[in-house]
């Protein structure tokens, strides 16, 4: 399923795989966009699959007029060997009844690539929150047993809140392969996996994506705050050039 576009093929042993869940407000995908753009990760391959709706577009991370004409497709893999990070970006939805097949093939690729762990960035509907959840942070995490063993001390030091046991689990859907099924499948294959999520509502979800990557950054320390300027509170995430058209191209002046 994975087709490399660099020579030699990327060596991913010991890498951390970051990937989105296709969920509320596309928050996970926006968060992965921020990570790829900020770290200037380079494309190392793509997935050739019939499990997702086909799409093609211009380079979403273009920095010059020359590289803006490069093409991107529905499922691409980006890497940053210096940080041992690899990012999978999903840009389209699953074809009905094929999400399970895709996820099983993806986990086989993760296992064969010897990736050290998988971190899924996701979101869940705000209206799913219980009264108790409404009185606490909108962020939650979920760990597989193998991931729990390796990171539980770090997670405890962050004072994060684990996802409560309930039916309101991120990405769950009726009659489809959910993220929980994905997590369970990773448990069977003994693949360390974490799900980080934020409760959100549909709308302008850029602030939610920024919040989610900063939540992840508390753990992985992907980037560090600017220490030169004490007035800067936010981390310097780089907005991709493609986000200029996130809500369309604006109203035509002829309307007025």
């Amino acid at each position: 399923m994975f087709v490399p576009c660099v020579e030699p093929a990327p060596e991913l042993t010991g890498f951390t795989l970051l990937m989105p869940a296709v969920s509320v407000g596309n928050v996970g995908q926006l968060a992965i966009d921020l990570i790829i753009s900020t770290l200037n990760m380079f494309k190392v391959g793509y997935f050739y699959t019939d499990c997702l709706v086909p799409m093609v577009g211009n380079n979403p991370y273009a920095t010059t007029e020359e590289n803006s004409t490069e093409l991107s497709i529905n499922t691409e893999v980006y890497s940053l060997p210096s940080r041992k990070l690899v990012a999978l970006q999903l840009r389209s939805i699953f074809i009905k009844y094929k999400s399970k097949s895709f996820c099983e093939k993806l986990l086989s690729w993760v296992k064969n690539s010897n990736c050290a762990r998988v971190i899924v960035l996701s979101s869940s509907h705000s209206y799913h929150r219980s009264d108790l959840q409404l009185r606490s942070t909108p962020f939650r995490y979920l760990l597989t047993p193998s991931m729990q063993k390796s990171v539980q001390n770090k997670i405890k030091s962050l004072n994060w809140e684990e996802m409560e046991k309930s039916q309101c689990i991120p990405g769950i859907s009726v009659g489809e392969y959910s993220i929980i099924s994905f997590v369970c499948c990773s448990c069977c294959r003994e693949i360390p996996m974490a799900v980080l999520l934020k409760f959100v509502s549909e709308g302008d979800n850029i602030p939610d994506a920024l919040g989610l990557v900063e939540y992840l950054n508390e753990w992985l320390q992907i980037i560090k705050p600017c220490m030169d300027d004490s007035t800067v509170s936010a981390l310097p995430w780089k907005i991709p050039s493609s986000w200029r058209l996130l809500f369309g191209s604006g109203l035509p002046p002829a309307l007025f």
Side-chain angles (χ1 to χ4, degrees):
M1 183 170 72
F2 176 71
V3 180
C5 62
V6 294
E7 291 291 342
E11 171 57 54
L12 303 178
T13 299
F15 277 52
T16 295
L17 171 64
L18 305 174
M19 62 170 288
V22 182
S23 50
V24 188
N26 304 109
V27 174
Q29 293 149 300
L30 294 174
I32 293 294
D33 261 355
L34 284 168
I35 293 168
I36 293 171
S37 179
T38 300
L39 298 180
N40 197 26
M41 301 176 80
F42 62 93
K43 185 161 60 177
V44 294
Y46 59 92
F47 284 168
Y48 182 72
T49 176
D50 62 352
C51 298
L52 290 102
V53 174
M55 61 81 52
V56 65
N58 284 20
N59 180 5
Y61 314 115
T63 54
T64 65
E65 189 173 341
E66 287 74 21
N67 67 16
S68 66
T69 57
E70 295 174 4
L71 296 181
S72 63
I73 59 172
N74 54 10
T75 315
E76 293 183 325
V77 179
Y78 297 79
S79 178
L80 188 64
S82 62
R83 300 282 191 90
K84 286 212 161 188
L85 288 176
V86 59
L88 167 64
Q89 181 60 297
L90 303 177
R91 298 194 179 98
S92 67
I93 60 174
F94 291 111
I95 291 175
K96 195 171 184 180
Y97 305 127
K98 290 197 173 183
S99 55
K100 180 177 181 180
S101 173
F102 176 84
C103 292
E104 288 175 345
K105 290 176 182 177
L106 171 61
L107 289 176
S108 293
W109 173 71
V110 170
K111 194 76 172 177
N112 294 335
S113 299
N114 295 313
C115 288
R117 58 188 178 182
V118 180
I119 300 176
V120 182
L121 303 181
S122 185
S123 55
S124 189
H125 287 287
S126 288
Y127 60 74
H128 280 168
R129 298 173 76 182
S130 65
D131 290 344
L132 181 62
Q133 289 170 333
L134 287 168
R135 293 194 293 270
S136 64
T137 173
F139 297 98
R140 291 293 186 276
Y141 75 91
L142 188 66
L143 304 176
T144 61
S146 54
M147 180 69 97
Q148 184 97 32
K149 292 175 185 176
S150 61
V151 303
Q152 59 182 351
N153 291 334
K154 176 63 177 178
I155 296 296
K156 283 182 180 178
S157 71
L158 296 173
N159 294 317
W160 283 3
E161 296 196 30
E162 189 173 7
M163 188 67 188
E164 292 82 0
K165 302 285 191 298
S166 74
Q167 292 184 343
C168 302
I169 300 293
I172 203 162
S173 56
V174 179
E176 260 293 1
Y177 194 75
S178 71
I179 195 170
I180 294 306
S181 302
F182 187 44
V183 171
C184 291
C185 192
S186 71
C187 290
C188 295
R189 295 171 184 255
E190 297 184 343
I191 296 174
M193 179 178 290
V195 179
L196 308 186
L197 71 109
K198 185 176 188 236
F199 290 105
V200 304
S201 299
E202 294 275 7
D204 179 359
N205 295 106
I206 291 176
D208 297 311
L210 286 164
L212 189 58
V213 290
E214 294 203 10
Y215 184 61
L216 171 68
N217 198 62
E218 289 180 37
W219 174 13
L220 295 190
Q221 293 291 288
I222 295 172
I223 60 174
K224 299 185 184 300
C226 294
M227 303 305 294
D228 299 333
D229 186 355
S230 59
T231 64
V232 177
S233 58
L235 294 170
W237 299 102
K238 181 182 175 184
I239 303 297
S241 56
S242 56
W243 284 21
R244 290 177 298 166
L245 301 176
L246 202 58
F247 298 103
S249 55
L251 297 173
L255 286 175
F256 308 98

